[in-house]
Amino acid sequence: MVGSYANGVGAVSNGAAAAAAEGKLDELRRQLGKAEGDPVRIAGVGAGAWGSVFCALLQDAYGRDHRDKAQVRVWRRPGRAVDRAAAERLFEVINAREDVLRRLIRRCAYLKYVEARLGDRTLFADEILRDGFCLNMVDTPLCPLKVVTNLQEAVWDADIVVNGLPSTETREVFEEIGRYWKERINPPIIISLAKGIEASLDPVPRIITPTQMIANATGVPLENILYLGGPNIASEIYNKEYANARICGADKWRKPLSNFLRQPHFIVWDNSDLITHEVMGGLKNVYAIGAGMVAALTNESATSKSVYFSLCTSEMIYITHLLAKEPEKLAGPLLADTYVTLLKGRNAWYGHKLAKGELTLEMGDSIKGKGTIQLIVV
């Protein structure tokens, strides 16, 4: 009787969640002016850990059960081979998860992972992403995703574009995208996940954020371009650990999108201060490299790490007061975003390895299994 009751509650709960998701989707469709039978098209550009997870969250929430109303696709470059070590790890992860194993068998996709484990086949990053594996995060299986390797096909009719590219690649890729959008009548909405800024001295000293790069490259009005920041760690969010985020930008879209993106375990707030959040999102990655180095060089001294964190936060508060009209409203989320990146971000890992002599600057900023180390570009 108890089991029967629990199952009934679960069915009602799942049904209520599906109805709530459909309600949010219908509201966004209304705001976008979508006609009956014309789905909301969401395109992810770039398939690093956070970009892949973000699109997988949308696929789980909307693309799987409401295919007639929402379609999610992800663009990534073709040809990136999965090395033998990553293939072996993938095989271990697959066999440790019965649900993943059964899913691959149903899709007739399991055998290729056996062959790759034995060294008889080469897998590619876009291929495994279709099966729900991000090359930068193979320990966390995602849902299967529609993957497109032709950029024009991915974005030309998209209603919402998610920028999951590193800031160092954002300008170049969106300049290409801008050429495909020349004939568009209605500009898309763009949600940028990129963290990093460019510093320019010409014609005057200034900073350029990813949303500004996108606006300049595509001609999309800045009111249609938003930034989404943490605190969050991609794998933990997909595993439904409680997290929150902030979507920042103009009034027109930030509140509708915060409602659309919000899930029970992923609370999305909204804020009008786009520039401050983007700048601090870039600076925290620089601080994180230093945090990793301090941890390595002091043998994980809690005192030394706390002193370093206090210096970072003092500088962040000072810069926030320079940039923001109401800096006191930003302190908590910005400090939390920095804190989680210093604790567990890839930049902190990079700084730790750098200080230990296990990495060198000559190896570049793209690290196997970690993705791009995001910095400020001058």
Side-chain angles (χ1 to χ4, degrees):
M1 179 66 99
V2 172
S4 174
Y5 176 76
N7 289 339
V9 171
V12 171
S13 177
N14 290 338
E22 187 172 17
K24 292 196 295 183
L25 178 55
D26 286 341
E27 177 61 19
L28 184 67
R29 286 171 53 78
R30 184 191 65 76
Q31 291 164 330
L32 288 169
K34 302 296 288 186
E36 188 69 26
D38 184 16
V40 175
R41 294 173 176 86
I42 302 171
V45 176
W50 184 211
S52 297
V53 163
F54 193 81
C55 289
L57 290 173
L58 294 175
Q59 174 65 16
D60 282 338
Y62 302 111
R64 183 179 58 196
D65 297 328
H66 309 289
R67 297 177 189 173
D68 58 328
K69 296 183 178 182
Q71 296 177 357
V72 181
R73 56 184 180 253
V74 183
W75 172 80
R76 74 153 295 137
R77 295 182 179 90
R80 174 76 180 274
V82 178
D83 65 29
R84 180 74 178 275
E88 290 175 352
R89 180 58 188 155
L90 265 174
F91 188 72
E92 292 174 1
V93 170
I94 290 166
N95 285 284
R97 287 275 301 270
E98 182 179 347
D99 58 329
V100 176
L101 177 60
R102 289 184 179 277
R103 185 182 78 200
L104 291 174
I105 291 173
R106 283 196 305 269
R107 292 164 59 93
C108 300
Y110 179 64
L111 183 58
K112 65 185 178 186
Y113 291 95
V114 177
E115 293 172 340
R117 166 66 178 81
L118 297 173
D120 296 334
R121 175 175 179 153
T122 299
L123 296 170
F124 292 92
D126 57 295
E127 177 185 15
I128 66 172
L129 188 59
R130 291 185 179 93
D131 293 328
F133 299 104
C134 172
L135 185 56
N136 293 344
M137 196 178 60
V138 296
D139 287 342
T140 305
L142 309 175
C143 62
L145 291 165
K146 180 178 180 181
V147 180
V148 179
T149 55
N150 181 292
L151 183 58
Q152 183 174 8
E153 179 186 349
V155 303
W156 75 276
D157 64 345
D159 300 297
I160 300 174
V161 174
V162 178
N163 175 31
L165 296 164
S167 59
T168 50
E169 298 178 20
T170 292
R171 183 189 300 278
E172 178 184 355
V173 173
F174 274 87
E175 283 176 349
E176 182 178 349
I177 290 173
R179 296 196 290 271
Y180 305 141
W181 285 346
K182 286 187 180 297
E183 305 303 320
R184 285 191 67 140
I185 297 173
N186 297 317
I189 299 168
I190 301 171
I191 302 172
S192 180
L193 310 179
K195 296 175 175 67
I197 59 176
E198 290 182 355
S200 176
L201 299 177
D202 184 29
V204 294
R206 69 193 194 284
I207 55 176
I208 306 170
T209 66
T211 58
Q212 292 171 331
M213 297 176 205
I214 293 168
N216 295 337
T218 62
V220 172
L222 200 55
E223 69 175 7
N224 277 40
I225 308 175
L226 302 100
Y227 165 74
L228 187 133
N232 45 60
I233 298 294
S235 60
E236 294 181 355
I237 290 176
Y238 196 75
N239 287 331
K240 292 185 167 36
E241 297 184 27
Y242 183 81
N244 62 47
R246 294 147 293 127
I247 190 160
C248 308
D251 293 344
K252 180 179 180 180
W253 288 115
R254 75 171 193 271
K255 289 188 181 296
L257 286 172
S258 68
N259 180 59
F260 178 70
L261 296 173
R262 180 176 292 203
Q263 298 186 24
H265 68 286
F266 184 56
I267 308 304
V268 180
W269 306 106
D270 69 279
N271 193 286
S272 62
D273 198 331
L274 172 65
I275 297 301
T276 303
H277 282 83
E278 275 197 289
V279 170
M280 304 317 292
L283 284 177
K284 68 162 191 177
N285 289 321
V286 179
Y287 296 146
I289 294 176
M293 297 180 75
V294 168
L297 295 172
T298 64
N299 197 27
E300 302 292 341
S301 164
T303 300
S304 297
K305 289 191 288 186
S306 65
V307 169
Y308 178 78
F309 183 65
S310 71
L311 294 173
C312 293
T313 55
S314 295
E315 183 172 276
M316 287 185 71
I317 292 168
Y318 173 74
I319 295 172
T320 302
H321 276 75
L322 291 178
L323 294 175
K325 292 180 180 179
E326 299 181 59
E328 64 281 354
K329 292 185 178 181
L330 306 180
L334 290 175
L335 293 178
D337 198 8
T338 302
Y339 178 67
V340 74
T341 306
L342 268 58
L343 278 180
K344 201 175 178 181
R346 81 185 83 168
N347 280 35
W349 172 90
Y350 180 81
H352 194 281
K353 295 291 185 183
L354 202 61
K356 290 288 189 180
E358 297 173 22
L359 294 174
T360 64
L361 293 174
E362 290 71 26
M363 295 170 69
D365 62 356
S366 184
I367 307 298
K368 184 175 68 176
K370 290 291 182 180
T372 301
I373 306 302
Q374 301 200 24
L375 300 168
I376 295 177
V377 179
V378 180

